[in-house]
Amino acid sequence: MPLAKILWVDDEIESLQSQKLFLENKGYEVFTFTNGFDALDFVKDNPVDVVLLDETMPGITGLETLAKIKEIHQQLPVVLITKNETENLMDDAIGSQISDYLIKPVNPNQVLLSLKKIIDNKRLVAEKTTSAYQEQFRNLFMALNSNPDYNEWMEIYRKLTYWELEMEKSDSPEMQEVHQSQKSEANTEFFKFISRNYASWVDPKSADSPIMSHTLFRFKVLPHVEKGTPTIWLVIDNLRYDQWKAIQPVFAESFRIHEESTFYSILPTATQYCRNAMFAGLMPVDIEKNFPVQWKNDEEEGGKNLFEEDFFKGQLKRLKRDDIRYSYNKIVNNQDAHKLVEQAHNLLNHDLSIIVYNFVDMLSHARTEMEVLKELASDEVSYRSLTASWFVHSPLYQALRKIADKKINLILATDHGSVRVKTPYKVVGDKQTTTNLRYKHGRNLNYEPKDVLAFKDPRQAGLPVPTVNSSFIFAKEDGFLCYPNNYNYYANYYRNTFQHGGVSLEEMIVPVVRMTNK
């Protein structure tokens, strides 16, 4: 079996016989033609892996041949070979989607390198990725076992995510399994870390805590709000760090990324708590105290995120920055989204424009309920891919592109992430117990202490006390909380769905990114 089938088209092919022989000795099968017409007839009827194409030929030129080849096989890689180095020719060639570009006279190793890059690229990258991760595995293992602090945990998670994305290039199921095992071990240690430290972080007297939901605006957004340059604070609901990495290249086409960092979502890692805390600049227990009418506990009637703008006004007042001219835009359906596109330029009329975009969260909930989405987003790889595909075609991206040529600051953040749950844990509670799969609160909760992080007094976690003797519990790692009634049905129904509300790297360590126009 040849390594690959090469078609070489050049009107001076006789003078290239030594090069043809060189490639054949390396294991390639090489077919040669002296003009574009014969080459096109051959491509129509025969499988080919790469075309080497001379630009200057009698009859039809290389570029004309290239265009017709792409009509027949759009994905067929073509290497253009030319004596002509003019810039407009290169632009035409690159615009016609060539895979490589060689200047005559070419030597055999140049051609070989180009072929390797095109044909063997995936295999070579996979091999390199696997060996590089093997080297890094020990460093990550040591970092996990050296009692990391909250900054080091963010770095560990960023590295784990980096290798998870790199592993997509590897066709080694064994190495992917090793990485998943290391990530699982990291989540086990992270749960212990949060269990030991979370209460001290949210203590009002705390002198050392990471940036969290309720301090995000003060430390990561407000310092960049300036008169004369509009700042857009974009909050994409339920965006994991790896999903941000999937859409980052799309942002990078239109915006310059200055700072990419992470922060900690508060517990429960659920919209009602995290997002209200972000806009209020307060922990939920203090929001309830300051806004007793607007704050709604889980079991209360009414929308849980209807008063974000009221909370935000309160935060500006406390920070003595109610001079900031701002707009608040909440996108929860397609109609809102298209209105945002139509009125994108209005975002430039304020010091600060807040956009809350509620798509990824809907995607994760719909995935739980709809079989077709379970197929489309069956694991983290496809979930990232679906997020990237959504964003590229979204009204949100259209709106941002409309103002990308203007001088703006763009700060992207989220309220929390999500985790794919696999391990069911039994919980018993009374009728008032909440239904969320990753956290519960209620009276007389009965659970296995090792399965959850529990706060008998919710105030220790900065949370309101919904009813007397009410406690909160948070699921760890990839666990989800099920009641004994119909236990097997619910355990099977929710296994492998993306949920949020509990303690995991994926839910708690989330992106905040600062960009400007290019």
Side-chain angles (χ1 to χ4, degrees), residues 436-449:
N436 189 289
L437 294 172
R438 290 283 290 165
Y439 77 94
K440 306 274 184 205
H441 69 70
R443 292 174 300 185
N444 310 316
L445 289 178
N446 207 314
Y447 51 86
E448 192 65 51

Side-chain angles (χ1 to χ4, degrees), residues 240-269:
R240 289 160 42 130
Y241 179 68
D242 63 328
Q243 289 173 299
W244 151 247
K245 296 306 284 183
I247 61 176
Q248 179 182 347
V250 189
F251 272 96
E253 287 173 16
S254 303
F255 298 95
R256 185 167 281 110
I257 296 169
H258 290 276
E259 183 190 0
E260 181 199 274
S261 56
T262 49
F263 70 99
Y264 283 80
S265 283
I266 62 163
L267 295 172
T269 45

Side-chain angles (χ1 to χ4, degrees), residues 216 220-221 232-236 239-240 244 247-248 251 259 261 263 278 391 396 400 409-414 510-515:
L216 178 72
K220 286 293 186 179
V221 181
I232 294 165
W233 181 17
L234 171 61
V235 179
I236 300 180
L239 187 76
R240 289 160 42 130
W244 151 247
I247 61 176
Q248 179 182 347
F251 272 96
E259 183 190 0
S261 56
F263 70 99
M278 278 168 65
F391 181 67
L396 173 60
L400 291 173
N409 291 317
L410 173 61
I411 296 167
L412 176 144
T414 187
V510 287
V512 53
V513 185
R514 182 169 65 86
M515 299 171 253

